[in-house]
Amino acid sequence: MSAEAPISRLWPAPSAGLDDAELTALYGRADRPHLRVNFVTSVDGAVSLDGYSAGLSGEPDKRVFGLLRMLCDGLLVAAGTLRHEGYRAVRLDAPRRAWRREHGLAEYPTLVVVSGSLDLDPAQAAFADAPVRPVVLTHAAAEAPPRLAEVAELVRCGADRVNLAAGLAELRRRGLGQVLCEGGPHLFGALTAADLVDEVCLTVAPLLAGGGPGRIAAGPAGGHRELSLRHVLAAGGALMLRYTRDAAPAPPTASS
Ligand SMILES: NC(=O)c1ccc[n+]([C@@H]2O[C@H](COP(=O)([O-])OP(=O)(O)OC[C@H]3O[C@@H](n4cnc5c(N)ncnc54)[C@H](OP(=O)(O)O)[C@@H]3O)[C@@H](O)[C@H]2O)c1
């Protein structure tokens, strides 16, 4: 994929060379509590290439990935992805921090980690270097490793498993109403099963990964949900799709 591929809108209302302000307006923030999920996949549905999502992602996907981080209050990630992908502290560049200040938001979103085991390393940069104290959503029976509580706030939702609906309600209570989930597949599967997903942003990378990697959703079967297509963007052969659970507004007619 080209390193500088411009992003165009194919549908609705084709428009070439979208700038960051236009992209920001296209994704926006919801006017109510909202859970947006963002994934990248290969054309044949793989969640990773050589074990990581980086092999699927190009410069346009990374650009949207960064904008979506700018737009959220809370950045939700499962412990599996945090550990495997070696999450670093959530940082934004100066223009994006300025955008947040201008819109009355905290300078950085809060990292929110979902873990049942609390098998988390307090020295991992995502915790140790965080500009905002991360939240860990866990359950009452989970035992925290030494020093985790020094670098993160443990929020216990559920007796012996994480109750995701209660966790999201607690985030809303703390002012984190706009939540961006970056995966991984087990968390996405559980959120879908609990019908907590409001929006899915999906980049389709122009490649075949072949057999081996899993899908972007994993876990027990169940959770068939209808979605409405909101836009189709394209860049360097990749498609960036935005779907929501609520019905899309009717397209403008010639008389409207
Ligand atoms: N393509 C993409 O956009 C994308 C995005 C993200 C990840 N990935 C890929 O996905 C793979 C990692 O996936 P994964 O199988 O490890 O899945 P995952 O969903 O990232 O992590 C699973 C772990 O998260 C915690 N967790 C998730 N849902 C939970 C729930 N409902 N309640 C309690 N804890 C929950 C548990 O952690 P504990 O074990 O601590 O209890 C569980 O073991 C990696 O290859 C990564 O590169 C790809």
Side-chain angles (χ1 to χ4, degrees), residues 38-42 46-49 51-54 56 61 65 77-85 87 113-120 137-139 161-164 182-191 202 215-216 218:
N38 186 36
F39 270 94
V40 60
T41 180
S42 63
V47 72
S48 60
L49 198 64
Y52 295 90
S53 57
L56 298 171
D61 176 63
F65 181 92
V77 65
T81 291
L82 180 99
R83 290 187 290 253
H84 183 76
E85 298 261 350
Y87 259 56
V113 180
V114 180
S115 174
S117 71
L118 289 183
D119 178 16
L120 301 169
L137 293 182
T138 189
H139 55 75
R161 62 176 189 86
V162 183
N163 181 323
L164 294 170
E182 293 183 352
H186 285 90
L187 180 58
F188 186 27
L191 290 166
L202 181 67
R215 293 174 45 213
I216 62 171

Side-chain angles (χ1 to χ4, degrees), residues 52-79:
Y52 295 90
S53 57
L56 298 171
S57 181
E59 186 270 336
D61 176 63
K62 291 191 176 81
R63 190 171 154 206
V64 169
F65 181 92
L67 284 173
L68 296 185
R69 282 188 166 191
M70 178 187 81
L71 286 164
C72 73
D73 302 316
L75 181 61
L76 185 70
V77 65

Side-chain angles (χ1 to χ4, degrees), residues 95-155:
R96 288 179 179 163
R97 295 201 306 277
W99 184 94
R100 289 178 64 89
R101 282 194 303 273
E102 283 161 21
H103 290 81
L105 306 179
E107 196 162 12
Y108 296 95
T110 300
L111 178 68
V112 182
V113 180
V114 180
S115 174
S117 71
L118 289 183
D119 178 16
L120 301 169
D121 179 2
Q124 183 170 345
F127 297 114
D129 297 342
V132 178
R133 187 174 171 80
V135 169
V136 176
L137 293 182
T138 189
H139 55 75
E143 282 187 36
R147 297 192 301 109
L148 185 61
E150 292 172 19
V151 293
E153 183 168 0
L154 306 187
V155 175

